[in-house]
Amino acid sequence: MRAVPDGGATLEALAKEMAGRVRIAKINVDDNPVMAGRLGVRGIPTMVLFKNGQEVDRQVGALPKSDIQRWLETVA
């Protein structure tokens, strides 16, 4: 597995490609430490997957775009 050099750009691309099926939000943990604490973020990057307002899965660490897309499609 290779690291993703710009995960933000990857998420932005996936948000466009999967519009209407998923909603992607990015949170800067330095600017939002309370939210990071609420979500239990212990490593960066952390992706938390919600369905109907409930956490259903999470990934910690950089992933290639294809892996993130496959992961998102498990609930989309």
Side-chain angles (χ1 to χ4, degrees):
M1 192 177 324
R2 66 179 177 79
V4 178
D6 186 355
T10 297
L11 292 178
E12 289 170 10
L14 285 169
K16 288 178 184 175
E17 291 171 24
M18 300 182 77
R21 298 187 324 168
V22 300
R23 183 181 315 165
I24 295 176
K26 298 186 299 183
I27 299 171
N28 182 318
V29 297
D30 293 328
D31 295 339
N32 300 287
V34 173
M35 180 60 73
R38 269 193 224 150
L39 293 172
V41 173
R42 301 200 187 281
I44 299 172
T46 295
M47 294 178 286
V48 184
L49 190 56
F50 291 90
K51 184 169 186 173
N52 300 320
Q54 300 295 316
E55 182 178 337
V56 294
D57 199 8
R58 71 174 47 217
Q59 295 282 334
V60 179
L63 295 172
K65 180 182 174 189
S66 59
D67 288 357
I68 297 170
Q69 185 169 6
R70 197 170 19 258
W71 178 62
L72 291 171
E73 288 173 350
T74 65
V75 296

